[in-house]
PDB file of all heavy atoms in Angstrom:
ATOM      1  N   ASN A 120    -151.291  -1.943  -5.968  1.00 89.00           N
ATOM      2  CA  ASN A 120    -150.234  -2.959  -6.019  1.00 89.00           C
ATOM      3  C   ASN A 120    -149.035  -2.633  -5.133  1.00 89.00           C
ATOM      4  O   ASN A 120    -147.889  -2.931  -5.485  1.00 89.00           O
ATOM      5  CB  ASN A 120    -149.750  -3.172  -7.466  1.00 89.00           C
ATOM      6  CG  ASN A 120    -150.846  -3.688  -8.377  1.00 89.00           C
ATOM      7  OD1 ASN A 120    -151.703  -4.451  -7.952  1.00 89.00           O
ATOM      8  ND2 ASN A 120    -150.842  -3.260  -9.618  1.00 89.00           N
ATOM      9  N   LEU A 121    -149.283  -2.020  -3.991  1.00 95.00           N
ATOM     10  CA  LEU A 121    -148.198  -1.752  -3.047  1.00 95.00           C
ATOM     11  C   LEU A 121    -147.889  -3.008  -2.241  1.00 95.00           C
ATOM     12  O   LEU A 121    -148.746  -3.869  -2.047  1.00 95.00           O
ATOM     13  CB  LEU A 121    -148.592  -0.612  -2.097  1.00 95.00           C
ATOM     14  CG  LEU A 121    -148.911   0.740  -2.737  1.00 95.00           C
ATOM     15  CD1 LEU A 121    -149.349   1.735  -1.666  1.00 95.00           C
ATOM     16  CD2 LEU A 121    -147.710   1.284  -3.508  1.00 95.00           C
ATOM     17  N   PHE A 122    -146.655  -3.107  -1.770  1.00 96.00           N
ATOM     18  CA  PHE A 122    -146.290  -4.205  -0.886  1.00 96.00           C
ATOM     19  C   PHE A 122    -146.882  -3.932   0.498  1.00 96.00           C
ATOM     20  O   PHE A 122    -146.493  -2.963   1.147  1.00 96.00           O
ATOM     21  CB  PHE A 122    -144.774  -4.348  -0.798  1.00 96.00           C
ATOM     22  CG  PHE A 122    -144.118  -4.707  -2.093  1.00 96.00           C
ATOM     23  CD1 PHE A 122    -143.246  -3.822  -2.725  1.00 96.00           C
ATOM     24  CD2 PHE A 122    -144.360  -5.935  -2.683  1.00 96.00           C
ATOM     25  CE1 PHE A 122    -142.636  -4.160  -3.925  1.00 96.00           C
ATOM     26  CE2 PHE A 122    -143.746  -6.281  -3.890  1.00 96.00           C
ATOM     27  CZ  PHE A 122    -142.893  -5.393  -4.504  1.00 96.00           C
ATOM     28  N   PRO A 123    -147.819  -4.761   0.954  1.00 96.00           N
ATOM     29  CA  PRO A 123    -148.526  -4.458   2.210  1.00 96.00           C
ATOM     30  C   PRO A 123    -147.636  -4.505   3.452  1.00 96.00           C
ATOM     31  O   PRO A 123    -147.952  -3.870   4.460  1.00 96.00           O
ATOM     32  CB  PRO A 123    -149.620  -5.529   2.272  1.00 96.00           C
ATOM     33  CG  PRO A 123    -149.105  -6.648   1.432  1.00 96.00           C
ATOM     34  CD  PRO A 123    -148.315  -6.009   0.327  1.00 96.00           C
ATOM     35  N   HIS A 124    -146.531  -5.242   3.368  1.00 97.00           N
ATOM     36  CA  HIS A 124    -145.651  -5.395   4.533  1.00 97.00           C
ATOM     37  C   HIS A 124    -144.566  -4.316   4.577  1.00 97.00           C
ATOM     38  O   HIS A 124    -143.713  -4.337   5.464  1.00 97.00           O
ATOM     39  CB  HIS A 124    -144.979  -6.775   4.508  1.00 97.00           C
ATOM     40  CG  HIS A 124    -144.103  -6.992   3.319  1.00 97.00           C
ATOM     41  ND1 HIS A 124    -144.612  -7.156   2.049  1.00 97.00           N
ATOM     42  CD2 HIS A 124    -142.740  -7.058   3.191  1.00 97.00           C
ATOM     43  CE1 HIS A 124    -143.601  -7.331   1.196  1.00 97.00           C
ATOM     44  NE2 HIS A 124    -142.463  -7.272   1.863  1.00 97.00           N
ATOM     45  N   MET A 125    -144.598  -3.371   3.621  1.00 97.00           N
ATOM     46  CA  MET A 125    -143.613  -2.298   3.587  1.00 97.00           C
ATOM     47  C   MET A 125    -144.287  -0.958   3.829  1.00 97.00           C
ATOM     48  O   MET A 125    -145.430  -0.738   3.412  1.00 97.00           O
ATOM     49  CB  MET A 125    -142.904  -2.251   2.223  1.00 97.00           C
ATOM     50  CG  MET A 125    -142.026  -3.430   1.920  1.00 97.00           C
ATOM     51  SD  MET A 125    -141.200  -3.180   0.320  1.00 97.00           S
ATOM     52  CE  MET A 125    -140.215  -4.682   0.234  1.00 97.00           C
ATOM     53  N   THR A 126    -143.576  -0.038   4.467  1.00 98.00           N
ATOM     54  CA  THR A 126    -144.086   1.313   4.651  1.00 98.00           C
ATOM     55  C   THR A 126    -144.123   2.031   3.302  1.00 98.00           C
ATOM     56  O   THR A 126    -143.572   1.556   2.301  1.00 98.00           O
ATOM     57  CB  THR A 126    -143.207   2.112   5.611  1.00 98.00           C
ATOM     58  OG1 THR A 126    -141.903   2.275   5.009  1.00 98.00           O
ATOM     59  CG2 THR A 126    -143.082   1.415   6.959  1.00 98.00           C
ATOM     60  N   ALA A 127    -144.753   3.203   3.286  1.00 98.00           N
ATOM     61  CA  ALA A 127    -144.780   4.008   2.061  1.00 98.00           C
ATOM     62  C   ALA A 127    -143.366   4.280   1.576  1.00 98.00           C
ATOM     63  O   ALA A 127    -143.060   4.133   0.386  1.00 98.00           O
ATOM     64  CB  ALA A 127    -145.524   5.316   2.319  1.00 98.00           C
ATOM     65  N   LEU A 128    -142.488   4.663   2.494  1.00 98.00           N
ATOM     66  CA  LEU A 128    -141.104   4.954   2.118  1.00 98.00           C
ATOM     67  C   LEU A 128    -140.401   3.721   1.566  1.00 98.00           C
ATOM     68  O   LEU A 128    -139.720   3.786   0.537  1.00 98.00           O
ATOM     69  CB  LEU A 128    -140.343   5.487   3.335  1.00 98.00           C
ATOM     70  CG  LEU A 128    -138.908   5.948   3.078  1.00 98.00           C
ATOM     71  CD1 LEU A 128    -138.885   7.146   2.139  1.00 98.00           C
ATOM     72  CD2 LEU A 128    -138.212   6.299   4.398  1.00 98.00           C
TER      73      LEU A 128
END
Side-chain angles (χ1 to χ4, degrees):
N120 298 326
L121 300 177
F122 296 115
H124 62 289
M125 293 183 179
T126 65
L128 185 64

